Structure formats: structure tokens, C-alpha cells
Amino acid sequence: MATWSAPGKVFLFGEHAVVYGKPAIAMAIKPRVFVTVRKSRNPTRPKSPYINECFRVMGVRGSVYVRSQLQSSSGLGSSAAVTVATLSAINDEFNLGYSREYIAETAFAIEKKVQKGRASPTDTYVSANGGMVLITGESKRRLPPENLHLVVGNTMVPHSTAKMVEQVANLRQHHPTIANPILDAIGELTLAAIREMSNPKELGQYMDMNHALLEALGVGHPASSRLVLAARASGAYGAKITGAGGGGSIIALCPRRAKNRVAGAIEACEGRAIITTIDTDGAREEKHD
Ligand code: PMV
């Protein structure tokens, strides 16, 4: 029996613009998905197309037990984490000897298949490797880890990444002279943020600007606006939508002392708050009997 876990992720900067080749920064966060795999001729498994695909691709049969600290459809990369953890546990339980790189690539291929072509390699890469990653087109570069104090606020409004990506594509088609400079500005903010990673006040201001630009692209939602404003009013350095928007989650960058207050303010606005920070581990073995 092998148990592996893999972390969720947030976009610190650059979502949507990354679809058009601009740079973005994603970071693994502490909440994880835990997956136990056991060799079995009569497998019992949760009804998940991601998990079924993992077994099909790896060519083995086994039972699965999943425990998740991540809500699905909340923009925190739970499907990528389930896929990475399942592949890693299969790899271990059946002694297949695949590398972390192979697991990340296979997880991306599975997400792409299950999501009918609509997946970005960001979630699976970050979940497999952990840490902070700069994504530009096909290239991914690991950034030095920063101990940022984050509060994630889940609006509890489920969103569709595919729908939001399509909405931005339409805006770009109908108003290219407006939408393209917004996407360019988001890319510039990402580059500016890399230089200020250890300066949370400045970084918070960049997050506020990134949020305004995402709203200008039309991916805001009353629920995310409420949480962002509540986080700022209760002492966050800055706050923004994270991921595709249209609901989903927000992140707030906080002084250490303000974390609980910010989390309380988010909960008071009917959001679900998670106090978290960077996860540098990526996929890891929890247990092997
Ligand atoms: O909502 P999420 O976590 O799936 O993030 C989507 C991020 C986008 O930039 C909007 C799309 C993408 O594939 O990068």
C-alpha cells in the first residue's frame, strides 16, 4: 500500500495573460490531496475520471482511497493534485520507477484528455514540483521560494475555467485595442513582482493592480469583489482574484499579525478562508507498507 500527497496551487500574478504568452507566477500552497493506492484484483475506487485515467495510462489495477484538503472547482488546482498524487502512488506501489518529470507530464496529458483539451501545464507542474514557478509560454522556471503569508478566500461560487478563458478570448476578438494592452500590463506586473518578491507591501500593491486589470477583463464576480475588499479593509497588503475568476477563489497577502483578522473578515462575507503559505515539497510519499 502506498500513500502519496500533492499540493494545490494559486496564481500570484498573471492568470489569463499567461494564455497569450505573457509571464505568470504560480505557487504551491499547503492544503493537499492524499491518495492511497493498493494492488488489487477487484479494485474499489472513487468515481473520478482523473483516477480512472491514471490507472489506464499506467496499465495496472488497484484500489484507491482519497482524502482532500482542497475543494474542487475552487480554482486551487484540486484535479491536478489528485492526478499527481494518484500517479505518484501508483508509481510507488507498483515499483514502476518513473521520474517526477514523467509524472508531471503524464498528469498534464490526463488533465488535458479529461478536460477535453482545456488544461494548462501550470497546475500539474506546480503540484508535482512544489515551490514558486514563473511560466512564460511553454517555459517554466523555478523562482527562489518566498515565505509569503497568504489567506485564500473561496467564494464558494463554482466557476468554469473554460468559460472564463473563452470570455476573455471574445473580448480580445471584439476589442483588441482595449483587451491587449490590459493583458500586456498584467504581464508587466508579473515581471515587476519578481523584482519585489521580498517586499510584501509593494507586492500587495501589485496584487491590487492585477485584480483591477482582471476585473477590466470581465472575470470579476460580486462574491470575489466582496472578499477582496474585506481582506484589504482588515489589513491585507493586497488582494486579488486567483485563477480564472467568475467566482472561484481570491488570495490576500497579509502581514503575519493580520492573518487571522483577514481570515475572519472573509468568513464574515460568507467565504471560506484558508491561512497558508508556500509548499516547497510538491508530490511526496506519506506512507509505504
Ligand atoms: O482557475 P484555474 O486555477 O484553473 O486557473 C486558470 C488560469 C488561466 O490563466 C485563466 C487559464 C490557464 O490555463 O492558465
Side-chain angles (χ1 to χ4, degrees), residues 9 11 15-16 18-19 75 120 123 159 161 165 243-244:
K9 69 96 201 28
F11 271 95
E15 51 275 89
H16 287 290
V18 73
V19 175
S120 97
D123 289 19
H159 71 167
T161 299
V165 168

Side-chain angles (χ1 to χ4, degrees), residues 60-243:
V60 291
R61 287 164 69 78
S63 291
V64 180
Y65 173 73
V66 177
R67 184 166 64 82
S68 182
Q69 300 169 335
L70 289 161
Q71 187 123 15
S72 59
S73 303
S74 59
L76 301 176
S78 75
S79 64
V82 166
T83 310
V84 167
T86 305
L87 288 173
S88 304
I90 293 174
N91 190 35
D92 190 10
E93 172 73 354
F94 293 87
N95 272 318
L96 302 178
Y98 290 120
S99 66
R100 196 178 284 267
E101 286 67 42
Y102 180 85
I103 299 285
E105 277 164 28
T106 308
F108 172 46
I110 289 172
E111 280 230 302
K112 210 161 157 180
K113 180 169 179 203
V114 174
Q115 292 165 199
K116 303 195 169 33
R118 290 194 161 109
S120 97
T122 307
D123 289 19
T124 40
Y125 182 88
V126 172
S127 188
N129 294 291
M132 210 182 272
V133 181
L134 175 69
I135 308 124
T136 316
E138 295 292 296
S139 106
K140 294 174 210 75
R141 180 159 69 85
R142 301 199 68 178
L143 297 173
E146 278 300 331
N147 192 20
L148 305 176
H149 298 289
L150 289 184
V151 179
V152 176
N154 183 351
T155 62
M156 308 303 283
V157 177
H159 71 167
S160 155
T161 299
K163 205 176 111 193
M164 302 322 289
V165 168
E166 195 180 319
Q167 204 172 296
V168 173
N170 286 338
L171 183 77
R172 206 168 153 260
Q173 202 180 354
H174 293 116
H175 301 287
T177 54
I178 299 169
N180 286 327
I182 297 174
L183 294 164
D184 288 341
I186 293 177
E188 291 302 323
L189 270 175
T190 300
L191 296 179
I194 296 171
R195 293 190 290 271
E196 298 292 343
M197 266 308 161
S198 50
N199 182 352
K201 273 195 190 143
E202 195 74 17
L203 216 53
Q205 230 174 54
Y206 292 159
M207 282 189 177
D208 288 351
M209 284 193 257
N210 196 159
H211 179 74
L213 293 170
L214 286 169
E215 292 210 312
L217 286 177
V219 302
H221 187 281
S224 53
S225 302
R226 263 200 302 278
L227 300 194
V228 161
L229 294 177
R232 289 179 193 158
S234 54
Y237 289 126
K240 65 181 273 294
I241 289 166
T242 185

